[in-house]
Amino acid sequence: MNVVAEPSYTEGGALLLDGNRLRDLTVGHLRARIEAAGSPAICLATVLVGDDAPSRVYVNMKHRKATEAGIISRSVELPNSATQQEVEQAVAGLVTDSNVHGILVQLPLPDHLDAEPVLAMLPPEKDIDGLTDRSLGRLVRGLPGHAPCTPLGVMRLIDSYGISTSGQRAIVVGRSTLVGLPQMLLLSRRGADATTTLAHSRTSDLMSVCREADIIVAAAGQAGMITADHVRPGATVIDVGISRSEDGIVGDVRFDEVQSVAGAITPMPGGTGPMTIACLLENTVAAAVMAGVSC
Ligand code: NDP
């Protein structure tokens, strides 16, 4: 789905890539689409283990936005003391339930649990977070499947604000399988066609590499690491990193200084986070369609 957002600008003149607004537009489009199809039952199930406060906030937000979109959401909650077997049993029940179209296991799991075997249980068609080996393998091979929501949300922001990636030089800072690596794949794949550099903690002279880029995606989790000096005038700067400080949530990008150099920039919060949820809902609807729901 491509949702065109009306532009607004920062004080420094950069195009503001407003994730809250684009998420709300996306939710509205999904709702209209589901209603137009006669409101078929489309179900997102989440699995939350333990009492990690940020995880609970994220899961609650996902349910709230799912409901707004007309998606049924089912919440499975297990205590911090849950065993590996109990978690796997809960996930197995959702995997075999044909009424459930998408499953999200909220990470991180408590320390005594191993997330890998739990994620491995998810079939690619229900893996709406796109994080399992099979989903990532499909992404690498260009096969149909669900792409991870955060990098997909970044692509939606870029596309919806009319920023071209074709032939552009992009840099992704961070190489995790959750964000950086799939982001590099999405920017580079046929159709997006950016020439992408994947940077990490061993990259030498990161500032020079960033200054060559038309698009910077900062996903290192290092508060304020991208300064105005990292940014070529007019470049697009997308902030994925989240650090928690006394002043609240802080991104990898020093918004105050970068916004007067960049051509387009995401706020933090209010940029990539809301789009992660929007893409989770998009993937859920796509999962339902794959399962035979007309929508
Ligand atoms: P990881 O810790 O798994 O990966 C961080 C990556 O950043 C690593 O590849 C690391 O390099 C690299 N890195 C760390 N420090 C530097 C540095 N100084 N210079 C260059 N590269 C560096 O984190 P995730 O990928 O899981 O998450 C990244 C950030 O995104 C976090 O802050 C997380 O909270 C946030 N996030 C935000 C979401 C959103 O919706 N906005 C969703 C998901 C995550 P190396 O591999 O060499 O160690």
Side-chain angles (χ1 to χ4, degrees), residues 58 149-151 172-181 199-203 206 218-222 225 239-244 250 252 268 271-277:
Y58 293 144
C149 299
T150 300
V172 179
V173 185
R175 58 179 163 183
S176 74
T177 49
L178 175 68
V179 188
L181 191 63
H200 43 76
S201 65
R202 301 294 179 91
T203 298
L206 181 68
Q222 302 293 316
M225 70 177 291
D239 197 353
V240 174
I242 295 175
S243 304
R244 288 182 173 77
V250 185
D252 285 359
M268 175 56 74
T272 52
M275 287 311 296
T276 298
I277 294 178

Side-chain angles (χ1 to χ4, degrees), residues 5-275:
E6 278 174 27
S8 60
Y9 295 87
T10 69
E11 282 176 9
L15 176 64
L16 189 71
L17 305 176
D18 185 341
N20 281 327
R21 182 165 161 66
L22 192 55
R23 176 205 55 206
D24 290 346
L25 286 168
T26 306
V27 167
H29 276 251
L30 288 174
R31 183 171 192 89
R33 177 177 161 189
I34 292 168
E35 283 176 359
S39 300
I42 296 176
C43 178
L44 158 70
T46 62
V47 179
L48 176 64
V49 187
D51 44 22
D52 180 54
S55 292
R56 183 167 293 279
V57 170
Y58 293 144
V59 167
N60 288 345
M61 179 65 95
K62 287 164 187 170
H63 285 289
R64 188 141 58 85
K65 292 297 163 188
T67 304
E68 280 178 34
I71 294 170
I72 299 163
S73 65
R74 195 188 294 182
S75 170
V76 175
E77 292 195 17
L78 294 165
N80 210 29
S81 58
T83 63
Q84 184 80 25
Q85 193 187 15
E86 284 166 341
V87 176
E88 291 181 12
Q89 269 172 0
V91 172
L94 298 172
V95 168
T96 53
D97 186 339
S98 60
N99 294 317
V100 171
H101 300 107
I103 304 169
L104 172 114
V105 179
Q106 185 66 41
L107 301 176
L109 296 178
D111 286 345
H112 67 283
L113 297 172
D114 185 356
E116 288 303 327
V118 177
L119 292 178
M121 297 172 69
L122 301 179
E125 54 278 12
K126 289 195 180 188
D127 175 23
I128 46 167
D129 227 4
L131 294 180
T132 64
D133 295 356
R134 284 190 283 171
S135 292
L136 288 170
R138 296 182 81 80
L139 182 62
V140 169
R141 301 201 61 194
L143 298 170
H146 305 300
C149 299
T150 300
L152 188 59
V154 169
M155 299 308 292
R156 290 284 184 272
L157 271 170
I158 290 172
D159 291 346
S160 300
Y161 279 93
I163 295 165
S164 173
T165 50
S166 179
Q168 301 291 291
R169 288 162 302 177
I171 180 168
V172 179
V173 185
R175 58 179 163 183
S176 74
T177 49
L178 175 68
V179 188
L181 191 63
Q183 187 72 71
M184 189 267 291
L185 292 168
L186 289 174
L187 281 161
S188 311
R189 74 177 173 181
R190 209 171 284 279
D193 299 319
T195 305
T196 312
T197 300
L198 189 60
H200 43 76
S201 65
R202 301 294 179 91
T203 298
S204 61
D205 197 3
L206 181 68
M207 190 180 282
S208 299
V209 188
C210 284
R211 280 186 72 85
E212 288 178 5
D214 303 298
I215 298 168
I216 300 173
V217 180
Q222 302 293 316
M225 70 177 291
I226 302 295
T227 68
D229 290 338
H230 287 77
V231 179
R232 196 178 56 73
T236 295
V237 182
I238 311 264
D239 197 353
V240 174
I242 295 175
S243 304
R244 288 182 173 77
S245 77
E246 285 174 359
D247 303 329
I249 284 179
V250 185
D252 285 359
V253 176
R254 291 192 200 172
F255 182 90
D256 287 350
E257 55 182 84
V258 172
Q259 54 102 15
S260 52
V261 182
I265 189 169
T266 53
M268 175 56 74
T272 52
M275 287 311 296

